[in-house]
Coordinates of all heavy atoms in Angstrom, one line a residue:
M97 N 0.8 -1.2 0.0 CA 0.0 0.0 0.0 C 0.9 1.2 0.0 O 1.9 1.3 0.7 CB -0.9 0.0 1.2 CG -1.8 1.1 1.4 SD -3.2 0.7 2.4 CE -4.5 1.4 1.4
V98 N 0.5 2.2 -0.7 CA 1.2 3.5 -0.9 C 0.9 4.4 0.3 O -0.2 4.6 0.6 CB 0.9 4.2 -2.2 CG1 1.6 5.5 -2.3 CG2 1.2 3.3 -3.4
D99 N 2.0 4.9 0.9 CA 1.9 5.9 2.0 C 2.0 7.3 1.4 O 3.1 7.8 1.3 CB 2.9 5.6 3.1 CG 2.8 6.5 4.3 OD1 1.9 7.4 4.3 OD2 3.6 6.4 5.2
W100 N 0.8 7.9 1.1 CA 0.8 9.2 0.4 C 1.3 10.3 1.3 O 1.9 11.2 0.8 CB -0.6 9.5 0.0 CG -1.1 8.6 -1.1 CD1 -1.9 7.6 -1.1 CD2 -0.6 8.6 -2.5 NE1 -2.1 6.9 -2.3 CE2 -1.2 7.6 -3.2 CE3 0.3 9.4 -3.2 CZ2 -1.0 7.3 -4.5 CZ3 0.5 9.1 -4.5 CH2 -0.1 8.1 -5.2
R101 N 1.2 10.2 2.6 CA 1.7 11.2 3.5 C 3.2 11.2 3.4 O 3.8 12.3 3.4 CB 1.3 10.9 4.9 CG -0.2 11.2 5.2 CD -0.6 10.8 6.6 NE -0.4 9.3 6.6 CZ -0.6 8.6 7.7 NH1 -1.0 9.1 8.8 NH2 -0.4 7.3 7.7
N102 N 3.8 10.1 3.3 CA 5.3 10.0 3.2 C 5.8 10.6 1.9 O 6.7 11.3 1.8 CB 5.8 8.6 3.4 CG 7.3 8.5 3.5 OD1 7.9 9.4 4.0 ND2 7.8 7.4 3.0
I103 N 5.1 10.3 0.8 CA 5.4 10.8 -0.5 C 5.3 12.3 -0.5 O 6.1 13.1 -1.0 CB 4.6 10.2 -1.6 CG1 5.0 8.7 -1.8 CG2 4.7 10.9 -2.9 CD1 4.1 7.9 -2.7
M104 N 4.2 12.9 0.1 CA 4.0 14.3 0.1 C 5.0 15.0 0.9 O 5.6 16.0 0.6 CB 2.6 14.6 0.7 CG 1.4 14.2 -0.3 SD 1.5 15.1 -1.9 CE 1.2 16.7 -1.4
T105 N 5.4 14.4 2.1 CA 6.5 14.9 2.9 C 7.8 15.0 2.2 O 8.5 16.0 2.2 CB 6.6 14.1 4.2 OG1 5.3 14.1 4.9 CG2 7.6 14.7 5.1
Q106 N 8.1 13.9 1.5 CA 9.4 13.9 0.7 C 9.4 15.0 -0.4 O 10.4 15.6 -0.6 CB 9.6 12.5 0.1 CG 9.9 11.5 1.1 CD 10.0 10.1 0.5 OE1 9.7 9.9 -0.7 NE2 10.4 9.1 1.3
T107 N 8.2 15.1 -1.1 CA 8.1 16.1 -2.1 C 8.3 17.5 -1.5 O 9.0 18.4 -2.1 CB 6.8 16.0 -2.8 OG1 6.6 14.7 -3.3 CG2 6.6 17.0 -4.0
Q108 N 7.6 17.8 -0.4 CA 7.7 19.1 0.2 C 9.2 19.4 0.6 O 9.6 20.5 0.6 CB 6.8 19.2 1.4 CG 5.3 19.2 0.9 CD 4.4 19.1 2.1 OE1 4.8 18.7 3.2 NE2 3.1 19.4 1.8
Q109 N 9.9 18.4 1.1 CA 11.3 18.6 1.6 C 12.2 18.9 0.4 O 13.3 19.4 0.6 CB 11.8 17.4 2.3 CG 11.1 17.2 3.6 CD 11.5 15.9 4.3 OE1 12.1 15.0 3.7 NE2 11.1 15.7 5.5
R110 N 11.9 18.7 -0.8 CA 12.7 18.9 -1.9 C 12.7 20.3 -2.5 O 13.4 20.7 -3.4 CB 12.4 17.9 -3.1 CG 12.7 16.5 -2.7 CD 12.4 15.6 -3.8 NE 12.8 14.2 -3.5 CZ 12.3 13.2 -4.1 NH1 11.6 13.3 -5.1 NH2 12.7 12.0 -3.7
V111 N 11.8 21.1 -1.9 CA 11.7 22.5 -2.4 C 12.2 23.5 -1.3 O 11.8 23.4 -0.1 CB 10.2 22.8 -2.6 CG1 10.0 24.3 -3.0 CG2 9.6 21.9 -3.7
M112 N 13.1 24.3 -1.7 CA 13.7 25.3 -0.9 C 13.1 26.7 -1.3 O 13.1 27.0 -2.5 CB 15.2 25.4 -1.0 CG 15.8 26.6 -0.2 SD 17.6 26.6 -0.3 CE 17.9 26.9 -2.0
K113 N 12.5 27.4 -0.3 CA 11.9 28.7 -0.6 C 12.7 29.8 0.0 O 13.2 29.7 1.2 CB 10.5 28.7 -0.1 CG 9.6 27.7 -0.8 CD 8.2 27.8 -0.2 CE 7.3 26.7 -0.9 NZ 6.0 26.7 -0.4
I114 N 12.9 30.9 -0.7 CA 13.5 32.1 -0.2 C 12.6 33.3 -0.5 O 11.8 33.2 -1.4 CB 14.9 32.3 -0.7 CG1 14.9 32.6 -2.2 CG2 15.8 31.1 -0.4 CD1 16.1 33.3 -2.7
K115 N 12.8 34.3 0.2 CA 12.1 35.6 0.0 C 13.0 36.6 -0.7 O 14.2 36.7 -0.3 CB 11.6 36.2 1.3 CG 10.8 37.5 1.2 CD 10.4 38.0 2.5 CE 9.6 39.3 2.4 NZ 9.2 39.8 3.7
V116 N 12.5 37.2 -1.7 CA 13.3 38.2 -2.4 C 12.6 39.6 -2.2 O 11.4 39.7 -2.5 CB 13.4 37.9 -4.0 CG1 14.2 39.0 -4.7 CG2 14.0 36.6 -4.2
E117 N 13.4 40.6 -1.8 CA 12.8 41.9 -1.5 C 13.5 42.9 -2.5 O 14.7 42.8 -2.8 CB 13.1 42.4 -0.1 CG 12.5 41.5 0.9 CD 12.8 42.0 2.3 OE1 13.9 42.7 2.5 OE2 12.1 41.6 3.3
Y118 N 12.7 43.8 -3.1 CA 13.2 44.7 -4.1 C 13.1 46.1 -3.4 O 12.1 46.5 -2.8 CB 12.3 44.7 -5.3 CG 12.2 43.4 -6.0 CD1 11.1 42.5 -5.8 CD2 13.2 42.9 -6.8 CE1 11.0 41.3 -6.4 CE2 13.2 41.7 -7.4 CZ 12.1 40.9 -7.2 OH 12.0 39.6 -7.8
Y119 N 14.1 46.9 -3.7 CA 14.2 48.3 -3.2 C 14.4 49.3 -4.3 O 14.9 49.0 -5.4 CB 15.3 48.4 -2.2 CG 15.0 47.6 -0.9 CD1 15.4 46.3 -0.8 CD2 14.2 48.2 0.1 CE1 15.1 45.6 0.3 CE2 13.9 47.5 1.2 CZ 14.3 46.1 1.4 OH 14.0 45.4 2.5
G120 N 13.9 50.5 -4.1 CA 14.1 51.6 -5.0 C 13.5 51.3 -6.4 O 12.4 50.8 -6.5
I121 N 14.2 51.7 -7.4 CA 13.7 51.5 -8.8 C 13.5 50.0 -9.1 O 12.6 49.7 -9.9 CB 14.7 52.1 -9.8 CG1 14.0 52.2 -11.2 CG2 16.0 51.4 -9.9 CD1 14.4 53.3 -12.0
L122 N 14.2 49.1 -8.4 CA 14.0 47.7 -8.7 C 12.6 47.3 -8.3 O 12.0 46.4 -8.9 CB 15.0 46.9 -8.0 CG 16.5 47.2 -8.3 CD1 17.4 46.4 -7.5 CD2 16.7 47.1 -9.8
R123 N 12.0 47.9 -7.3 CA 10.6 47.6 -6.9 C 9.7 48.1 -8.1 O 8.7 47.3 -8.4 CB 10.3 48.4 -5.7 CG 8.9 48.2 -5.1 CD 8.6 49.0 -3.9 NE 9.5 48.6 -2.8 CZ 9.6 49.2 -1.7 NH1 8.9 50.3 -1.5 NH2 10.4 48.8 -0.8
D124 N 10.0 49.2 -8.7 CA 9.1 49.7 -9.8 C 9.3 48.7 -11.0 O 8.3 48.4 -11.7 CB 9.5 51.1 -10.2 CG 9.3 52.1 -9.1 OD1 8.4 51.9 -8.2 OD2 10.0 53.1 -9.1
V125 N 10.5 48.3 -11.3 CA 10.7 47.4 -12.4 C 10.0 46.1 -12.3 O 9.4 45.6 -13.2 CB 12.2 47.1 -12.6 CG1 12.5 46.0 -13.6 CG2 12.9 48.4 -13.0
C126 N 10.0 45.5 -11.0 CA 9.3 44.2 -10.8 C 7.8 44.3 -10.5 O 7.1 43.3 -10.6 CB 10.1 43.5 -9.7 SG 11.8 43.1 -10.1
G127 N 7.4 45.5 -10.1 CA 6.0 45.7 -9.8 C 5.5 45.1 -8.5 O 4.4 44.9 -8.2
C128 N 6.5 44.8 -7.6 CA 6.2 44.3 -6.3 C 7.3 44.6 -5.3 O 8.4 44.9 -5.7 CB 5.9 42.8 -6.3 SG 7.2 41.8 -6.8
H129 N 7.0 44.6 -4.0 CA 8.0 44.9 -3.0 C 8.8 43.6 -2.7 O 10.0 43.6 -2.4 CB 7.3 45.4 -1.7 CG 8.3 45.4 -0.5 ND1 9.3 46.3 -0.4 CD2 8.3 44.6 0.6 CE1 10.0 46.1 0.7 NE2 9.4 45.1 1.3
A130 N 8.1 42.4 -2.7 CA 8.7 41.2 -2.4 C 8.0 40.0 -3.0 O 6.8 40.2 -3.4 CB 8.7 41.0 -0.9
E131 N 8.7 38.9 -3.2 CA 8.1 37.7 -3.7 C 8.8 36.5 -3.2 O 10.0 36.6 -2.7 CB 8.0 37.7 -5.2 CG 9.3 37.7 -6.0 CD 9.1 37.8 -7.5 OE1 8.3 37.0 -8.0 OE2 9.8 38.6 -8.1
E132 N 8.2 35.3 -3.3 CA 8.9 34.1 -2.9 C 9.4 33.4 -4.1 O 8.7 33.3 -5.2 CB 7.8 33.2 -2.2 CG 8.4 32.0 -1.6 CD 7.4 31.2 -0.7 OE1 6.6 30.5 -1.4 OE2 7.4 31.4 0.5
V133 N 10.6 32.8 -4.0 CA 11.2 32.0 -5.1 C 11.5 30.6 -4.5 O 12.0 30.5 -3.4 CB 12.5 32.7 -5.6 CG1 13.2 31.8 -6.6 CG2 12.2 34.1 -6.1
A134 N 11.1 29.6 -5.3 CA 11.3 28.2 -4.9 C 12.4 27.5 -5.8 O 12.4 27.8 -7.0 CB 10.0 27.5 -5.0
F135 N 13.2 26.7 -5.2 CA 14.2 25.9 -5.9 C 14.1 24.5 -5.5 O 13.7 24.2 -4.3 CB 15.6 26.4 -5.5 CG 16.0 27.7 -6.2 CD1 15.8 28.9 -5.6 CD2 16.5 27.7 -7.5 CE1 16.1 30.1 -6.2 CE2 16.8 28.8 -8.1 CZ 16.6 30.0 -7.5
D136 N 14.6 23.6 -6.3 CA 14.8 22.2 -6.0 C 15.8 22.1 -4.9 O 17.0 22.5 -5.1 CB 15.1 21.4 -7.2 CG 15.2 19.9 -7.0 OD1 15.3 19.5 -5.8 OD2 15.1 19.1 -8.0
D137 N 15.5 21.6 -3.7 CA 16.4 21.5 -2.6 C 17.6 20.6 -2.9 O 18.6 20.6 -2.2 CB 15.7 21.1 -1.3 CG 16.5 21.4 -0.1 OD1 17.4 22.3 -0.1 OD2 16.2 20.7 0.9
R138 N 17.5 19.7 -3.8 CA 18.6 18.8 -4.1 C 19.8 19.5 -4.8 O 20.9 19.0 -4.8 CB 18.1 17.6 -5.0 CG 17.1 16.7 -4.2 CD 16.6 15.7 -5.1 NE 15.7 16.4 -6.1 CZ 15.0 15.8 -7.0 NH1 15.0 14.5 -7.1 NH2 14.2 16.5 -7.8
E139 N 19.5 20.7 -5.3 CA 20.6 21.4 -6.0 C 21.0 22.6 -5.0 O 20.2 23.1 -4.3 CB 20.1 22.0 -7.3 CG 19.7 21.0 -8.3 CD 19.0 21.7 -9.5 OE1 19.1 22.9 -9.6 OE2 18.4 21.0 -10.3
E140 N 22.3 22.9 -5.0 CA 22.7 24.0 -4.2 C 22.5 25.3 -5.0 O 23.2 25.6 -6.0 CB 24.2 23.9 -3.8 CG 24.6 25.0 -2.8 CD 26.0 24.8 -2.3 OE1 26.2 23.9 -1.5 OE2 26.9 25.5 -2.8
A141 N 21.5 26.1 -4.6 CA 21.2 27.3 -5.3 C 22.1 28.4 -4.8 O 22.4 28.5 -3.6 CB 19.7 27.7 -5.1
T142 N 22.5 29.3 -5.7 CA 23.3 30.5 -5.4 C 22.5 31.7 -5.7 O 21.5 31.7 -6.4 CB 24.6 30.5 -6.2 OG1 24.3 30.6 -7.6 CG2 25.4 29.2 -6.0
V143 N 23.1 32.8 -5.2 CA 22.5 34.1 -5.5 C 22.4 34.4 -7.0 O 21.4 34.8 -7.6 CB 23.2 35.3 -4.8 CG1 22.8 36.6 -5.3 CG2 23.1 35.1 -3.3
A144 N 23.5 34.0 -7.8 CA 23.5 34.1 -9.2 C 22.3 33.4 -9.9 O 21.7 33.9 -10.8 CB 24.8 33.7 -9.8
Q145 N 22.0 32.2 -9.4 CA 20.9 31.4 -10.0 C 19.6 32.1 -9.7 O 18.7 32.1 -10.6 CB 20.9 30.0 -9.4 CG 22.1 29.2 -9.9 CD 22.2 27.8 -9.2 OE1 22.1 27.8 -8.0 NE2 22.4 26.8 -10.0
V146 N 19.4 32.7 -8.5 CA 18.2 33.4 -8.2 C 18.1 34.6 -9.2 O 17.0 34.9 -9.7 CB 18.2 33.8 -6.8 CG1 17.0 34.8 -6.5 CG2 18.1 32.7 -5.8
L147 N 19.2 35.3 -9.4 CA 19.2 36.5 -10.2 C 18.8 36.1 -11.7 O 18.0 36.8 -12.3 CB 20.5 37.2 -10.2 CG 20.8 37.9 -8.9 CD1 22.3 38.5 -9.0 CD2 19.8 39.0 -8.6
A148 N 19.3 35.0 -12.1 CA 19.0 34.5 -13.5 C 17.5 34.2 -13.6 O 16.8 34.6 -14.6 CB 19.8 33.3 -13.9
Q149 N 16.9 33.6 -12.6 CA 15.5 33.2 -12.5 C 14.7 34.5 -12.5 O 13.6 34.6 -13.2 CB 15.2 32.3 -11.4 CG 13.7 31.9 -11.3 CD 13.5 30.9 -10.2 OE1 14.4 30.3 -9.6 NE2 12.2 30.7 -9.9
L150 N 15.1 35.5 -11.7 CA 14.4 36.7 -11.6 C 14.4 37.6 -12.8 O 13.4 38.2 -13.2 CB 14.9 37.6 -10.4 CG 14.6 36.9 -9.0 CD1 15.4 37.7 -7.9 CD2 13.2 36.8 -8.7
V151 N 15.5 37.6 -13.5 CA 15.6 38.3 -14.8 C 14.7 37.7 -15.9 O 14.1 38.4 -16.6 CB 17.1 38.4 -15.3 CG1 17.2 38.8 -16.8 CG2 17.9 39.3 -14.4
A152 N 14.6 36.3 -15.8 CA 13.7 35.7 -16.7 C 12.2 36.1 -16.4 O 11.4 36.2 -17.3 CB 13.8 34.2 -16.7
R153 N 11.9 36.2 -15.1 CA 10.6 36.6 -14.7 C 10.3 38.0 -14.9 O 9.1 38.4 -15.2 CB 10.4 36.2 -13.2 CG 9.1 36.3 -12.7 CD 9.0 35.9 -11.2 NE 9.4 34.5 -11.0 CZ 9.4 33.9 -9.8 NH1 9.1 34.6 -8.7 NH2 9.7 32.7 -9.7
H154 N 11.3 38.9 -14.7 CA 11.2 40.3 -14.8 C 12.3 40.8 -15.7 O 13.3 41.3 -15.3 CB 11.3 41.0 -13.4 CG 10.4 40.5 -12.4 ND1 9.1 40.7 -12.4 CD2 10.7 39.7 -11.3 CE1 8.5 40.2 -11.3 NE2 9.5 39.5 -10.6
P155 N 12.1 40.8 -17.0 CA 13.1 41.2 -18.0 C 13.7 42.6 -17.8 O 14.9 42.8 -18.1 CB 12.4 41.1 -19.4 CG 11.3 40.1 -19.1 CD 10.9 40.4 -17.7
G156 N 13.0 43.5 -17.2 CA 13.5 44.8 -17.0 C 14.7 44.8 -16.0 O 15.4 45.8 -15.9
L157 N 14.8 43.8 -15.2 CA 15.9 43.7 -14.2 C 17.3 43.6 -14.9 O 18.3 44.0 -14.4 CB 15.8 42.5 -13.3 CG 14.9 42.7 -12.1 CD1 14.8 41.4 -11.3 CD2 15.3 43.8 -11.2
S158 N 17.3 43.1 -16.1 CA 18.6 42.8 -16.8 C 19.4 44.1 -17.0 O 20.6 44.1 -16.8 CB 18.3 42.2 -18.2 OG 17.6 43.0 -19.0
Q159 N 18.8 45.2 -17.2 CA 19.6 46.5 -17.4 C 20.1 47.0 -16.1 O 21.0 47.9 -16.1 CB 18.7 47.5 -18.1 CG 17.5 48.0 -17.3 CD 16.7 49.0 -18.1 OE1 17.0 49.3 -19.3 NE2 15.6 49.5 -17.6
H160 N 19.6 46.5 -15.0 CA 20.1 47.0 -13.6 C 21.0 46.0 -13.0 O 21.6 46.3 -12.0 CB 18.9 47.2 -12.7 CG 17.9 48.3 -13.2 ND1 18.1 49.6 -13.1 CD2 16.8 48.2 -13.9 CE1 17.2 50.3 -13.7 NE2 16.3 49.4 -14.2
R161 N 21.1 44.8 -13.5 CA 21.8 43.7 -12.8 C 23.3 44.1 -12.6 O 23.8 43.7 -11.5 CB 21.7 42.5 -13.7 CG 22.3 41.3 -12.9 CD 21.9 40.0 -13.6 NE 22.6 38.9 -12.8 CZ 22.8 37.7 -13.3 NH1 22.4 37.4 -14.5 NH2 23.3 36.8 -12.5
R162 N 23.9 44.7 -13.5 CA 25.4 45.1 -13.3 C 25.6 46.0 -12.1 O 26.7 46.0 -11.5 CB 25.9 45.7 -14.5 CG 26.2 44.8 -15.7 CD 26.8 45.5 -16.9 NE 27.8 46.5 -16.5 CZ 28.4 47.3 -17.4 NH1 28.1 47.2 -18.7 NH2 29.3 48.1 -17.0
Y163 N 24.6 46.8 -11.8 CA 24.8 47.8 -10.8 C 24.2 47.6 -9.5 O 24.5 48.3 -8.5 CB 24.3 49.2 -11.3 CG 24.9 49.5 -12.7 CD1 24.2 49.4 -13.9 CD2 26.3 49.9 -12.8 CE1 24.8 49.7 -15.1 CE2 26.8 50.1 -14.0 CZ 26.1 50.1 -15.1 OH 26.7 50.3 -16.4
M164 N 23.3 46.6 -9.4 CA 22.7 46.4 -8.1 C 23.5 45.6 -7.1 O 24.4 44.8 -7.5 CB 21.3 45.7 -8.3 CG 21.4 44.2 -8.7 SD 19.7 43.5 -8.7 CE 19.5 43.2 -10.5
A165 N 23.3 45.8 -5.9 CA 24.0 45.0 -4.8 C 23.0 44.0 -4.3 O 21.8 44.2 -4.4 CB 24.4 46.0 -3.7
C166 N 23.5 43.0 -3.7 CA 22.7 41.9 -3.1 C 23.0 41.8 -1.6 O 24.2 41.8 -1.2 CB 22.9 40.6 -3.8 SG 22.5 40.6 -5.5
A167 N 22.0 41.6 -0.8 CA 22.2 41.3 0.6 C 21.4 40.1 1.0 O 20.3 39.9 0.7 CB 21.7 42.5 1.5
L168 N 22.1 39.1 1.6 CA 21.5 37.9 2.1 C 21.4 38.0 3.6 O 22.3 38.1 4.3 CB 22.3 36.7 1.7 CG 21.7 35.3 2.0 CD1 20.4 35.1 1.2 CD2 22.7 34.2 1.6
D169 N 20.1 37.9 4.0 CA 19.8 38.0 5.5 C 20.5 39.3 6.1 O 21.2 39.2 7.1 CB 20.2 36.8 6.2 CG 19.4 35.5 5.8 OD1 18.3 35.7 5.4 OD2 20.0 34.4 5.8
A170 N 20.3 40.4 5.4 CA 20.8 41.7 5.8 C 22.3 41.9 5.8 O 22.8 42.9 6.4 CB 20.2 42.0 7.2
E171 N 23.0 41.1 5.1 CA 24.5 41.3 4.9 C 24.8 41.3 3.5 O 24.4 40.3 2.7 CB 25.2 40.2 5.7 CG 25.1 40.3 7.2 CD 26.1 39.3 7.9 OE1 27.2 39.1 7.3 OE2 25.8 38.9 9.0
L172 N 25.6 42.3 3.0 CA 26.0 42.3 1.6 C 26.7 41.0 1.2 O 27.4 40.5 2.1 CB 26.9 43.5 1.3 CG 26.2 44.9 1.4 CD1 27.2 46.0 1.2 CD2 25.1 45.0 0.4
C173 N 26.4 40.5 0.0 CA 27.0 39.2 -0.4 C 27.4 39.2 -1.8 O 27.0 40.1 -2.6 CB 26.0 38.1 -0.1 SG 24.5 38.2 -1.1
S174 N 28.2 38.3 -2.2 CA 28.6 38.1 -3.6 C 27.6 37.1 -4.2 O 26.8 36.4 -3.6 CB 30.0 37.5 -3.7 OG 30.0 36.2 -3.2
V175 N 27.6 37.1 -5.6 CA 26.6 36.3 -6.3 C 26.9 34.8 -6.2 O 26.0 34.0 -6.6 CB 26.4 36.8 -7.8 CG1 25.9 38.2 -7.8 CG2 27.7 36.7 -8.5
D176 N 28.1 34.4 -5.8 CA 28.4 33.0 -5.8 C 28.1 32.4 -4.4 O 28.3 31.2 -4.2 CB 29.8 32.7 -6.2 CG 30.8 33.5 -5.4 OD1 30.4 34.5 -4.7 OD2 32.0 33.1 -5.4
L177 N 27.5 33.1 -3.5 CA 27.1 32.6 -2.2 C 25.9 31.7 -2.3 O 25.0 31.9 -3.0 CB 26.7 33.8 -1.3 CG 26.5 33.5 0.2 CD1 27.8 33.0 0.8 CD2 26.0 34.7 0.9
A178 N 26.0 30.6 -1.6 CA 24.9 29.6 -1.5 C 23.8 30.1 -0.7 O 24.0 30.8 0.4 CB 25.4 28.3 -1.0
L179 N 22.6 29.7 -1.1 CA 21.3 30.1 -0.3 C 20.9 29.0 0.6 O 21.4 27.9 0.5 CB 20.2 30.4 -1.3 CG 20.5 31.5 -2.3 CD1 19.4 31.5 -3.4 CD2 20.5 32.8 -1.6
H180 N 20.1 29.3 1.6 CA 19.5 28.4 2.5 C 18.0 28.6 2.7 O 17.5 29.7 2.4 CB 20.2 28.4 3.9 CG 20.1 29.8 4.5 ND1 19.0 30.2 5.3 CD2 20.9 30.9 4.4 CE1 19.2 31.4 5.7 NE2 20.3 31.9 5.2
E181 N 17.3 27.6 3.1 CA 15.9 27.6 3.3 C 15.5 28.8 4.2 O 16.1 29.0 5.2 CB 15.4 26.3 3.9 CG 13.9 26.3 4.3 CD 12.9 26.4 3.2 OE1 13.2 25.9 2.1 OE2 11.9 27.0 3.4
G182 N 14.5 29.6 3.7 CA 14.0 30.7 4.5 C 14.8 31.9 4.5 O 14.6 32.9 5.2
A183 N 15.9 32.0 3.6 CA 16.7 33.2 3.5 C 15.9 34.3 2.9 O 14.9 34.1 2.2 CB 17.9 32.8 2.6
T184 N 16.4 35.5 3.2 CA 15.8 36.7 2.6 C 16.9 37.4 1.7 O 18.0 37.7 2.3 CB 15.3 37.7 3.6 OG1 14.3 37.1 4.4 CG2 14.8 39.0 3.0
L185 N 16.7 37.5 0.4 CA 17.6 38.1 -0.5 C 17.1 39.5 -0.8 O 16.0 39.6 -1.4 CB 17.8 37.3 -1.7 CG 18.7 37.8 -2.8 CD1 20.2 37.9 -2.3 CD2 18.6 37.0 -4.1
A186 N 17.8 40.5 -0.5 CA 17.4 41.9 -0.9 C 18.2 42.4 -2.1 O 19.4 42.2 -2.1 CB 17.7 42.8 0.3
L187 N 17.5 42.9 -3.1 CA 18.2 43.5 -4.2 C 18.1 45.0 -4.1 O 17.1 45.6 -4.0 CB 17.4 43.1 -5.5 CG 17.4 41.5 -5.7 CD1 16.7 41.2 -7.1 CD2 18.7 40.9 -5.6
L188 N 19.3 45.6 -4.1 CA 19.5 47.0 -3.8 C 20.0 47.8 -5.0 O 21.1 47.4 -5.6 CB 20.5 47.2 -2.7 CG 20.2 46.3 -1.4 CD1 21.4 46.3 -0.5 CD2 19.0 46.8 -0.7
P189 N 19.4 48.9 -5.4 CA 19.8 49.6 -6.6 C 21.1 50.5 -6.1 O 21.3 50.6 -4.9 CB 18.7 50.5 -6.9 CG 18.0 50.8 -5.6 CD 18.2 49.4 -4.8
P190 N 21.8 51.0 -7.1 CA 22.9 51.9 -6.7 C 22.4 53.1 -6.0 O 21.3 53.5 -6.3 CB 23.6 52.2 -8.0 CG 22.6 51.8 -9.1 CD 21.6 50.9 -8.5
V191 N 23.2 53.6 -5.1 CA 22.8 54.7 -4.3 C 23.6 55.9 -4.6 O 24.8 55.8 -4.8 CB 22.9 54.4 -2.8 CG1 22.5 55.6 -1.9 CG2 22.1 53.2 -2.4
S192 N 23.0 57.1 -4.8 CA 23.7 58.3 -5.0 C 23.3 59.3 -4.0 O 22.2 59.2 -3.5 CB 23.5 58.7 -6.5 OG 22.2 59.1 -6.7
G193 N 24.1 60.3 -3.9 CA 23.7 61.3 -2.9 C 24.5 62.6 -3.2 O 25.3 62.7 -4.1
G194 N 24.2 63.5 -2.4 CA 24.9 64.8 -2.6 C 25.1 65.5 -1.3 O 24.8 65.2 -0.3

């Protein structure tokens, strides 16, 4: 007999979810303040992979990608950093002042 609860639990464990927050003009480009992104948990997802997925979802981000900074759980990070379940990735536009 098939144990569907066990299969559902295994399926749910294979998905890693993170929250992506957009600031400044990036919020306008994406049309939202934040969204959830899911990855197959069997693969080690990096910030660069999330950015690629987000550019595919929001093509307008591509022109800002070179200049934006990323922060993982409130700390600036490089794009090759690995993500973890429940992480918050903030995308920050360049800042200017006077």
Side-chain angles (χ1 to χ4, degrees):
M97 179 158 225
V98 176
D99 184 356
W100 291 106
R101 290 175 295 179
N102 189 31
I103 291 173
M104 290 301 291
T105 301
Q106 289 174 357
T107 302
Q108 290 170 346
Q109 291 174 348
R110 292 182 180 163
V111 176
M112 175 176 60
K113 295 179 182 177
I114 67 160
K115 180 180 180 183
V116 179
E117 297 177 342
Y118 303 101
Y119 291 91
I121 191 147
L122 303 178
R123 182 182 297 170
D124 297 333
V125 169
C126 295
C128 61
H129 170 70
E131 65 182 312
E132 188 176 80
V133 177
F135 284 95
D136 186 339
D137 195 24
R138 292 173 291 184
E139 300 173 11
E140 187 173 285
T142 64
V143 172
Q145 290 171 314
V146 171
L147 290 175
Q149 183 175 346
L150 293 173
V151 167
R153 189 180 296 180
H154 307 288
L157 278 178
S158 63
Q159 66 184 0
H160 299 280
R161 188 168 177 199
R162 284 181 44 179
Y163 306 107
M164 72 173 112
C166 299
L168 186 62
D169 296 329
E171 290 190 31
L172 290 176
C173 66
S174 66
V175 295
D176 56 343
L177 188 66
L179 300 169
H180 58 86
E181 171 67 32
T184 299
L185 178 66
L187 302 185
L188 310 166
V191 178
S192 64

